[in-house]
Amino acid sequence: MMVSPMKTAVLSALGMTGAACALEIRDTSSGHFVWLWEMYANATLNPLFEPDPNIIRQGTGWPDGPQEWHRNLAMVSPVHFIGVAHYPFDETRELKFLGSDGVVRGYPLVGQEVVAPGGVATDITVGTLAEPLDPSTGVKPYPVAVFPTRADFLQRDLVVVGKAGWAAPGRYEGFEMLVNSPGFDTTDYIYFDFPYEPGGPGDLRFQGGDSGSPTLILQDGEWCVVGVHSGLEEVPAAAPVASRSYDAFLPTYYGEIDALMEPEGYHLIRRHPETVALTVAADTAEPLVAGQPGTVQVRLSGTGADAHNVKLKFTAAGFTGLTAAGWVQESLTPGSWRGRRGGLGDGETVTLEASWSALPAGPVLAGTVGVSADGHEPESVPVSWPVMSPAAAAYAEWSAGLADPAFDADPDGDHLRNLLEYAVGGDPAVAQSRAFTSTGTEDGRLVIEFPRRLDRLERGLSYEVQFASEALIWGPELPEGTEVTTGPCDPPRDGFEKVRVAVPPAGGAGFLRLQVAFSG
């Protein structure tokens, strides 16, 4: 046994010779203090254990190493477990768990990291499995307890889990820091005492090999992890003389533990998480155009408190890529993405980007965002983005910067509306656009000439010359003998041709006009 200047025992240092060397409990003859029989060879629940062996089975695993099998470790996420730094694994390659179906399953072990607030190492570690627990087996992580004050953790019902399948009820009695005890004096401890005389049935204390095993506390009907076994000390000043068992007090380190779990997309599961509000917003940096590549943003914001164990599902038809910095992808199928992140701070906003190689036709690109977190019930939020046709996008680009880009607006006051200026290549900000069109008579004929876009169909433009007699009833039917010719503009104009319409003379007055329409 290693002993500090404060006579604090390193629990892992004692040899392991069998179940008789496990958690020391007075009056163990009844077998009520063993939750699991034959842990290494043929694990079987003990129905005599009180309050219920499944309390421990559901989230406690043990190593596969032939010299380390006796250790018990509590899961606090689907891939994370809590241990102690002074008792590292030497040979373990996986942790084993007993499912509700009676089958033992193993999960590969990746490693452990020391909890070190401000760079100061404690005796607490966070271990990681290579793959998550299968919830269908009845094995799941424990939540952690949340009480208003430290004193609220004292004198409450506990289940103290020891090595080799032993466990017993107990109650915490106080808090202490172990000064002048290297390796332990940086850890916040909660403890219970084992009085030597007089003693009572069920009194318990740690023994070698118990290090890293959990203590569970009952909070509002659910068993939660509260501490991990770390040290044992003789307390001669106690009346009566006692030995004191120390658990590393996890609530002091919830934030640091969360930070170590974050890369895998998990945080500790609080028994009573604070209520948080999650807000979803849809955005896009550039206009979306049907048939062209495009990217949209989904922004998720949290308010009210820090959110833990945030999940998001994005659904939209046809997206071909999704970027989600800080998220862990859970699944990706056509039209659907699922991901998680450990936390979202109060007031924090995170962004996901979905992209399309060719956007579907509009007018609206629709999707849904499902969100949930501890303290926020699952909800599905509809999201949408306007999608322009290529023709509408071309007009939007042409009219960008105008005080009023509407089709029928006339910002330069030259009596040509924006749509007509667009169609004939005018400048809507300069009152000289009539120079591009002309009307008049030639050899008694009514003549109108105007530029026409060569790509008018792609731009959704249609041009129609209309005729009216002196009754001023306009229509597209032109008098018999009308000549319509096309040719290059003079001077030449990129992307345009010149259209000339000449109407033969007829009795009475006649009028011509150009009508432009947009469809798209």
Side-chain angles (χ1 to χ4, degrees), residues 286-295 355-359:
E286 300 290 339
L288 303 180
V289 181
Q292 297 182 15
T295 300
S355 58
W356 283 255
S357 56
L359 286 160

Side-chain angles (χ1 to χ4, degrees), residues 336-353:
S336 179
W337 179 90
R338 288 179 183 269
R340 67 176 185 269
R341 59 184 296 126
L344 183 66
D346 185 7
E348 183 181 4
T349 297
V350 293
T351 302
L352 292 81
E353 289 193 341

Side-chain angles (χ1 to χ4, degrees), residues 349-397:
T349 297
V350 293
T351 302
L352 292 81
E353 289 193 341
S355 58
W356 283 255
S357 56
L359 286 160
V364 171
L365 174 63
T368 58
V369 177
V371 292
S372 67
D374 297 348
H376 183 94
E377 291 297 320
E379 64 172 322
S380 183
V381 180
V383 290
S384 62
W385 302 264
V387 178
M388 294 189 292
S389 67
Y395 178 80
E397 182 180 3

Side-chain angles (χ1 to χ4, degrees), residues 35 45-57 159 223:
W35 72 275
L45 290 180
N46 174 17
L48 298 178
F49 178 82
E50 295 179 354
D52 182 349
N54 284 291
I55 290 169
I56 306 174
R57 179 205 59 76
V159 170
W223 290 96

Side-chain angles (χ1 to χ4, degrees), residues 242-326:
S243 62
R244 182 162 290 175
S245 296
Y246 292 99
D247 272 348
F249 185 56
L250 298 182
T252 300
Y253 307 100
Y254 284 172
E256 288 78 15
I257 295 172
D258 283 341
L260 293 178
M261 296 167 64
E262 180 74 40
E264 300 297 327
Y266 296 107
H267 275 189
L268 295 168
I269 305 165
R270 275 72 172 170
R271 175 65 182 95
H272 288 300
E274 295 181 89
T275 300
V276 299
L278 298 179
T279 304
V280 175
D283 197 4
T284 179
E286 300 290 339
L288 303 180
V289 181
Q292 297 182 15
T295 300
V296 303
Q297 290 82 39
V298 171
R299 306 191 191 281
L300 179 65
S301 303
T303 55
D306 292 345
H308 302 285
N309 297 305
V310 183
K311 292 192 173 185
L312 186 145
K313 179 183 179 182
F314 175 73
T315 304
F319 69 87
T320 52
L322 192 140
T323 302

Side-chain angles (χ1 to χ4, degrees), residues 420-426 433-438 448-454 456 461 463 487-491 493-500 514 516:
L420 186 56
E421 297 236 34
Y422 176 61
V424 300
S433 298
R434 286 188 177 276
F436 295 121
T437 62
S438 65
I448 184 171
E449 293 182 349
F450 58 90
R452 183 172 67 182
R453 290 187 179 271
L454 296 174
R456 56 193 175 278
L461 295 171
Y463 300 70
C489 294
D490 185 19
R493 299 184 63 201
D494 244 2
F496 288 86
E497 63 182 356
K498 183 178 75 173
V499 179
R500 183 177 188 274
L514 174 63
V516 176

